[in-house]
Every structure is written in C-alpha cells, then in structure tokens.
Amino acid sequence: MDHAPLPEAAFLADWTDRLRASAERPVVGILLRGSHARRAATAYSDVDLDVLVSTTGPT
C-alpha cells in the first residue's frame, strides 16, 4: 500500500494558528504524531497533533 504524503504546510499552519488561538494557556509547542510523523500514513489516516502548553502564565 502506498503511503500518503505529509499534510501540506498550509494545512498545518492553519491548524497551528487555530490551536494557539483557542488554547487557555500559552502554547509552547505543537507536535505532529502518529502515522504521518512516522511517514506511514495511508489515504485514510487522520492527523494527530499534540499541543504542549505552559504551566505558567495567564489562564
């Protein structure tokens, strides 16, 4: 089975902007995980993102 390409940069940029804007705490990192990160995704794979937030700062 062929592997799906990584999501396009514009797709990831849009989602990182959305996640940063909706987070209750300052976002310090967003990680691409799962099959796309392993370059093993198929056409039916979802995109897994982990959002790392600061434990300090405004709530």
Side-chain angles (χ1 to χ4, degrees):
M1 178 180 286
D2 289 333
H3 297 292
L6 284 173
E8 293 184 17
F11 173 85
L12 294 173
D14 179 50
W15 272 102
T16 56
D17 291 344
R18 289 181 192 197
L19 292 167
R20 287 181 187 278
S22 65
E24 295 179 8
R25 296 193 174 269
V27 174
V28 295
I30 299 174
L31 305 173
L32 178 66
R33 306 230 353 198
S35 58
H36 279 287
R38 293 189 310 273
R39 296 191 181 258
T42 68
Y44 302 103
S45 295
D46 62 351
V47 176
D48 301 302
L49 298 172
D50 281 351
V51 180
L52 307 175
V53 296
S54 175
T55 59
T56 60
T59 57

